[in-house]
């Protein structure tokens, strides 16, 4: 009887978590002005809402993804539009849908912002542009910048031309050593791409690796750090067949290993990034290739060096995915394609790794947006209808990512608790948080992975989100 009760409790928890998924994303085109949109999609009731239509003045053609900062707002970039038609940096508040343009890019501090912003451990947002900078007259190769959400200050950090690394199309990521790592499309000695690092403390930018044809060419996406500490990524044209590859990069020794070549049948031209599940398996998508040449979903197991073609898009259920998959607490992958769906203007889909079933969840039709190029974003386990702390009583978790040791800071009422769940919804840790305004230290002896958490007081969820552990 006890086992049955525990099973029912887990199933109820699983169903509750699954029902609370609300995704946010952007389309590059479509909407009222055909300049792109910001949207939300509620998985529990299949409700799709256009939250904002870009109007050129505030930006147009958002090419990357949204990212949530510590203040709860979503931040993103539009590739063009704004005062100089060089792109904009903006925020949107998911609680009241207030859109704010925060910065107009120009030819001197960078233009045509590429990829997505990175929320670093210092709470600031780092990004790159693929053009502009102080060397724009001769090189026009882009830069690295930072935006501080706490005071609204934009700071130009580094000219990528200075290190012969230029034209980044992906995003920065922060590794466990604290450095920011990125890739450029045409940088390096051979001008076919490179890996570089930027230290936000010292301001030093260093070239880490120069791609060769065999090791990779023209990296388009971003790097991720695996649970083994290595950096994993993809190039869109490198490898034995010049159709892209998966690689491993060791930041300690500066060495790169080509793990898997795409050959057309197993996919070609990957333009997004990889994602790793709790078991250490990497998942990703290719833009083309596969049975119908519309792209595919694949997995690669670094432990066994096993590549598996998981699903081939057929055009209607998806075509030419450009972004990255996200995995929610229920273990299901969600993503978008830029040309799939009934109108061939892009779609939102889910993919179940256990059954191999892909479900077309929503089709873009132009008026509600078209051609999504970025990723979906999930704001933890709750939506805005659930009671949360007021702005004057915020809770912050830092550092995040961490090695499992971090602090929770806030003003906690009586009977507050933190609960941590793994990727399939099982609670793996919980603890009581003492009442009062304080920083409460946490030490989790858990494997490297992405976990979800809830901080609650009785039936009220005070804060929820993701905890990233990298050891």
């Amino acid at each position: 009887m006890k086992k049955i009760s525990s099973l029912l409790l887990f199933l109820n928890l699983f169903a509750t978590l699954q029902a609370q998924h609300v995704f946010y994303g952007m389309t590059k085109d479509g909407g009222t002005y055909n300049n792109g949109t910001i949207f939300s999609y509620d998985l529990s009731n299949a409700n799709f809402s256009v939250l904002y239509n870009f109007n050129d003045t505030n930006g147009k053609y958002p090419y990357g993804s949204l990212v949530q900062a510590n203040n709860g707002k979503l931040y993103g970039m539009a590739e063009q539009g704004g005062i100089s038609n060089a792109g904009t940096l903006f925020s949107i508040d998911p609680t009241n849908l207030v859109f704010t343009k925060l910065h107009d890019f120009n030819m001197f501090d960078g233009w045509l912002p590429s990829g997505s912003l990175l929320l670093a451990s210092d709470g600031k947002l780092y990004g790159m542009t693929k053009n502009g900078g102080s060397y724009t007259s001769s090189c026009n190769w882009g830069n690295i910048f930072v935006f501080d959400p706490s005071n609204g200050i934009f700071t130009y950090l580094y000219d990528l031309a200075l290190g012969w690394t230029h034209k980044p199309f992906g995003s920065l990521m922060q590794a466990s050593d604290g450095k920011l790592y990125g890739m450029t499309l045409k940088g390096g000695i051979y001008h076919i791409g490179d890996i570089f690092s930027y230290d936000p403390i010292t301001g030093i930018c260093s070239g880490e690796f120069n791609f060769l044809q065999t090791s990779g060419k023209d990296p388009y996406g971003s790097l991720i750090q695996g649970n083994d500490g290595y950096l994993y990524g993809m190039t869109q044209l490198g490898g034995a067949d010049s159709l892209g590859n998966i690689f491993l990069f060791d930041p300690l020794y500066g060495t790169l290993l080509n793990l898997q070549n795409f050959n057309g049948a197993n996919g070609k031209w990957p333009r997004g990034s990889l994602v790793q599940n709790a078991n250490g398996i990497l998942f990703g998508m290719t833009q083309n290739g596969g049975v119908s040449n519309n792209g595919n979903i694949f997995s690669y197991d670094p432990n066994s060096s096993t590549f598996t073609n998981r699903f081939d898009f057929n055009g209607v259920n998806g075509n030419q995915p450009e972004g990255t998959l996200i995995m929610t607490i229920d273990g299901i992958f969600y993503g978008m394609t830029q040309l799939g769906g009934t109108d061939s203007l892009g779609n939102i889909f889910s993919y179940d790794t256990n059954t191999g079933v892909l479900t077309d969840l929503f089709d873009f039709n132009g008026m509600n947006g078209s051609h999504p190029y970025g990723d979906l974003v999930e704001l933890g386990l709750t939506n805005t209808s659930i009671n949360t702390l007021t702005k004057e009583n915020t809770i912050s978790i830092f550092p995040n990512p961490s090695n499992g040791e971090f602090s929770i800071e806030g003003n906690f009422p009586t009977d507050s608790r933190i609960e941590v769940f793994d990727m399939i919804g099982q609670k793996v840790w919980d603890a009581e948080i003492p009442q009062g305004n304080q920083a409460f230290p946490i030490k989790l002896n858990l494997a490297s992975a992405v976990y979800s958490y809830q901080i609650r007081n009785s039936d009220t969820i005070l804060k929820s989100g993701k905890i990233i552990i990298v050891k």
Side-chain angles (χ1 to χ4, degrees):
M1 181 65 69
K2 186 176 181 180
K3 289 184 177 180
I4 294 176
S5 299
S6 299
L7 177 61
L8 290 175
L9 179 64
F10 170 74
L11 291 176
N12 288 335
L13 173 64
F14 184 86
T16 300
L17 294 173
Q18 188 177 35
Q20 290 175 344
H21 291 312
V22 179
F23 300 117
Y24 294 81
M26 299 188 291
T27 63
K28 184 176 181 290
D29 302 295
T32 303
Y33 309 102
N34 200 30
N35 291 325
T37 66
I38 301 174
F39 66 84
S40 67
Y41 180 79
D42 191 332
L43 189 62
S44 64
N45 55 19
N47 181 45
F48 179 94
S49 300
V50 175
L51 307 180
Y52 186 79
N53 291 280
F54 288 96
N55 60 12
D56 196 357
T57 302
N58 286 339
K60 64 180 180 180
Y61 309 150
Y63 207 92
S65 309
L66 297 165
V67 61
Q68 188 177 31
N70 292 333
N71 59 12
K73 294 181 181 180
L74 295 167
Y75 291 80
M77 300 182 292
E79 186 183 44
Q80 297 181 39
I83 294 176
S84 304
N85 195 31
T88 63
L89 189 154
F90 60 84
S91 70
I92 185 168
D93 191 330
T95 60
N96 55 26
L97 303 184
V98 173
F99 178 97
T100 305
K101 183 174 70 170
L102 301 168
H103 180 76
D104 288 283
F105 290 97
N106 57 66
M107 65 182 297
F108 299 106
D109 65 15
W111 57 290
L112 300 181
S114 172
S116 307
L117 295 164
L118 162 74
L119 177 63
S121 58
D122 58 9
K124 298 177 182 179
L125 299 168
Y126 292 81
M128 299 185 289
T129 64
K130 59 177 177 276
N131 290 88
S134 61
Y135 276 69
T136 185
S137 60
S138 60
C139 299
N140 201 25
W141 285 343
N143 74 332
I144 302 172
F145 65 85
V146 63
F147 179 82
D148 191 339
S150 66
N151 55 26
I153 295 177
F154 176 98
T155 305
Y156 180 102
L157 293 177
Y158 190 83
D159 277 298
L160 291 174
L162 294 176
W164 287 96
T165 176
H166 55 281
K167 297 292 183 184
F169 275 73
S171 309
L172 294 165
M173 59 82 65
Q174 188 169 32
S176 55
D177 60 8
K179 294 180 181 180
L180 310 182
Y181 288 83
M183 300 188 291
T184 63
L185 189 73
K186 295 298 180 184
I189 296 175
Y190 308 103
H191 303 290
I192 59 174
D194 73 338
I195 298 173
F196 68 90
S197 67
Y198 177 81
D199 191 327
I201 297 177
T202 64
I204 295 175
C205 185
S206 303
E208 300 285 347
F209 185 82
N210 297 288
F211 283 104
L212 299 167
Q213 176 63 42
T214 54
S215 61
K217 178 183 178 183
D218 294 358
Y220 200 93
S222 307
L223 296 162
I224 69 164
Q225 186 163 35
N227 56 20
D228 53 12
Y230 297 121
L231 305 184
Y232 292 88
M234 299 185 290
T235 67
Q236 63 170 334
L237 294 178
D241 297 289
S242 299
L243 297 176
N245 70 328
I246 304 171
F247 65 84
L248 173 154
F249 175 71
D250 187 341
L252 183 61
Y253 297 102
T255 56
L256 186 141
L257 177 64
N258 184 358
L259 300 175
Q260 175 70 39
N261 296 301
F262 293 103
N263 58 24
N266 64 5
K268 64 180 180 181
W269 305 336
R271 301 187 73 174
S273 305
L274 296 163
V275 62
Q276 188 172 44
N277 70 6
N279 295 323
I281 300 175
L282 302 168
F283 287 81
M285 299 186 290
T286 63
Q287 185 190 39
N288 293 94
V291 174
S292 303
N293 199 33
N294 295 313
N296 69 334
I297 299 173
F298 64 85
S299 66
Y300 180 83
D301 189 342
N303 295 316
S304 62
S305 302
T306 302
F307 179 95
T308 305
N309 186 4
R310 297 272 183 163
F311 186 86
D312 292 293
F313 292 103
N314 63 17
V316 177
N317 61 17
N319 186 4
Q320 294 191 18
E322 286 259 349
T324 303
L325 295 164
I326 67 167
M327 189 176 188
T328 59
I329 196 170
D330 52 20
I332 307 297
F333 282 110
Y334 296 87
M336 299 186 289
T337 69
Q338 60 163 325
L339 296 177
T342 55
D343 295 295
S344 298
L345 295 175
N347 71 330
I348 303 172
F349 66 85
S350 67
Y351 174 72
D352 190 329
T353 58
N354 297 314
T355 63
V357 174
L358 185 138
T359 303
D360 185 354
L361 299 174
F362 183 82
D363 296 321
F364 293 99
N365 61 19
M367 286 304 300
N368 58 23
S370 62
H371 307 135
Y373 278 72
D375 313 334
L376 294 167
V377 176
E378 186 188 16
L379 309 187
L381 305 176
T382 62
N383 57 38
T384 54
S385 66
I386 297 176
N387 292 330
T388 58
L389 291 178
T390 62
K391 186 176 181 181
E392 291 74 28
N393 191 23
T394 57
I395 291 175
S396 60
I397 291 183
F398 59 92
N400 191 18
S402 75
N403 62 0
E405 296 185 23
F406 56 91
S407 295
I408 306 173
E409 187 172 22
N411 190 5
F412 302 100
T414 307
D415 299 327
S416 296
R417 296 191 68 82
I418 177 173
E419 299 173 330
V420 179
F421 304 88
D422 64 16
M423 294 300 289
I424 63 173
Q426 293 178 313
K427 184 161 63 176
V428 295
W429 190 87
D430 72 332
E432 182 178 352
I433 302 176
Q435 181 184 3
N437 191 354
Q438 60 184 301
F440 180 65
I442 298 289
K443 184 175 181 179
L444 298 179
N445 293 317
L446 299 173
S448 297
V450 178
Y451 299 87
S452 296
Y453 72 89
Q454 287 185 350
I455 300 174
R456 60 169 62 244
N457 167 243
S458 299
D459 295 327
T460 301
I461 297 176
L462 305 177
K463 186 178 179 67
S464 62
K466 298 287 192 296
I467 295 172
I468 303 173
I469 296 179
V470 180
K471 294 184 176 180

